[in-house]
Amino acid sequence: MTEKAEVDLTGAKLNTGVWLVKVPKYLSQQWAKATGRGEVGKLRICKKGNQGKAEVSFTLNEELTVIEGVEGKTVSAPRDHPFTMQTVGGQTLAVFTETSSGQSEERSDGSSSGSGAGPDKIALEGVVVQRAECRPAVSESYMRLKRLQIEESSKPMRLSQQLDKAVTSNYKPVANHENNLEYERKKKEEGKRARADKQQVLDMLFSAFEKHQYYNIKDLVDITKQPVIYLKEILRDIGIYNVKGTHKNTWELKPEYRHYQSEEKTDD
């Protein structure tokens, strides 16, 4: 049910009793294949004697018994399915139908509840008065069905296959992908960078900071062509790393190294 659905209790069928029946998965799949009026089988309710309990069974239509498996294998599903009756057990269970927005609800008498866009509606169809479990009768067809299900579940999802000729498609295997090669190349270039003299690196840093007050480490690496670790060691001596504020994750010179600022003030 959707969160915005509205429960419509107009004409709620509180006095309508419904059965809640659990059916095997293969049976529900065969029901979905029904055509025409959607008839899937017959339900028989028999009562032996005045005091005996009702015996309920479902018989699947003959045209819905064919079940197709992998590799073209087919088996016939069992037709007879006796019910195991159960009590509701003091629970209050109900059945609802949901009408999606923009669709009309078709009732059992063939009439339509209207159409047009609008919120989803939920209607009460009845209260569960009986629970049951629909089980197939043990027979030769049922055993063949179980054998087919076991064979399909035990088959691996992937199979190895020997090729008779070379693959000629454009998707050929490669030893290493282009993006990995590019990453390794950049990593090697960075590792090959020789450490310059500390004073030479300081001169390059001071020259850069005369143009801009703030730099991130990537730009400083491009300017000095020095390894990152070595460059950070020098920056810790002369610079401040901003961890917050407008210039977060950038470096700037310590106040005592900003000589160009004092010179500019003196010239003025």
Side-chain angles (χ1 to χ4, degrees):
M1 296 183 182
T2 57
E3 296 181 357
K4 298 182 180 179
E6 298 179 357
V7 180
D8 183 12
L9 296 179
T10 305
K13 304 171 185 177
L14 295 174
N15 298 325
T16 303
V18 296
W19 285 18
L20 180 62
V21 183
K22 181 180 179 181
V23 300
K25 183 179 180 180
Y26 75 88
L27 192 59
S28 63
Q29 291 173 342
Q30 294 305 105
W31 287 354
K33 299 177 182 178
T35 57
R37 296 184 302 171
E39 184 177 334
V40 296
K42 295 181 179 180
L43 187 68
R44 291 185 176 88
I45 303 177
C46 303
K47 191 173 183 181
K48 297 181 179 179
N50 296 329
Q51 302 297 330
K53 293 183 178 180
E55 295 182 357
V56 184
S57 64
F58 171 76
T59 304
L60 183 66
N61 278 354
E62 181 69 28
E63 60 269 18
L64 296 178
T65 57
V66 179
I67 298 179
E68 297 181 357
V70 295
E71 298 180 357
K73 292 183 179 180
T74 58
V75 295
S76 296
R79 297 191 62 192
D80 298 328
H81 297 77
F83 279 27
T84 302
M85 308 304 291
Q86 302 172 358
T87 60
V88 179
Q91 293 179 307
T92 303
L93 304 173
V95 176
F96 294 87
T97 55
E98 181 178 6
T99 305
S100 300
S101 59
Q103 296 180 357
S104 59
E105 180 182 0
E106 186 176 349
R107 304 187 185 277
S108 57
D109 58 359
S111 62
S112 176
S113 62
S115 59
D120 295 351
K121 290 187 178 181
I122 302 171
L124 177 64
E125 293 297 328
V127 179
V128 176
V129 297
Q130 182 68 59
R131 298 182 65 176
E133 187 172 352
C134 177
R135 296 179 178 178
V138 179
S139 60
E140 185 64 26
S141 60
Y142 175 69
M143 299 307 294
R144 285 196 295 266
L145 173 63
K146 293 302 295 182
R147 191 180 300 113
L148 178 64
Q149 291 176 344
I150 293 172
E151 289 177 358
E152 290 186 350
S153 62
S154 61
K155 283 189 176 182
M157 298 298 293
R158 298 179 179 179
L159 298 175
S160 59
Q161 183 178 1
Q162 184 175 356
L163 300 177
D164 298 330
K165 57 182 180 179
V167 178
T168 58
S169 63
N170 295 330
Y171 302 99
K172 295 181 180 180
V174 293
N176 205 346
H177 292 280
E178 186 65 27
N179 56 342
N180 293 337
L181 294 173
E182 182 68 17
Y183 172 76
E184 291 176 1
R185 184 182 63 80
K186 289 183 178 180
K187 193 173 181 181
K188 287 180 180 179
E189 286 182 358
E190 189 170 311
K192 289 180 180 178
R193 288 173 178 168
R195 294 190 177 190
D197 182 69
K198 184 176 180 180
Q199 187 58 46
Q200 183 180 355
V201 177
L202 287 173
D203 292 340
M204 288 187 288
L205 290 174
F206 287 135
S207 176
F209 278 109
E210 286 181 359
K211 298 175 183 177
H212 301 285
Q213 185 176 356
Y214 303 97
Y215 284 94
N216 58 43
I217 190 65
K218 183 177 179 298
D219 292 335
L220 292 175
V221 169
D222 293 337
I223 293 172
T224 61
K225 308 298 181 184
Q226 297 299 303
V228 177
I229 298 176
Y230 178 56
L231 185 60
K232 284 184 177 180
E233 291 177 359
I234 299 176
L235 283 171
R236 291 190 188 99
D237 296 335
I238 65 170
I240 301 172
Y241 184 69
N242 298 305
V243 295
K244 59 182 179 179
T246 308
H247 303 285
K248 184 179 179 181
N249 300 331
T250 60
W251 287 88
E252 65 173 320
L253 289 178
K254 292 180 179 179
E256 57 267 30
Y257 291 102
R258 300 173 190 170
H259 302 300
Y260 60 90
Q261 291 184 351
S262 59
E263 292 175 2
E264 289 177 356
K265 292 180 180 178
T266 305
D267 294 340
D268 291 342

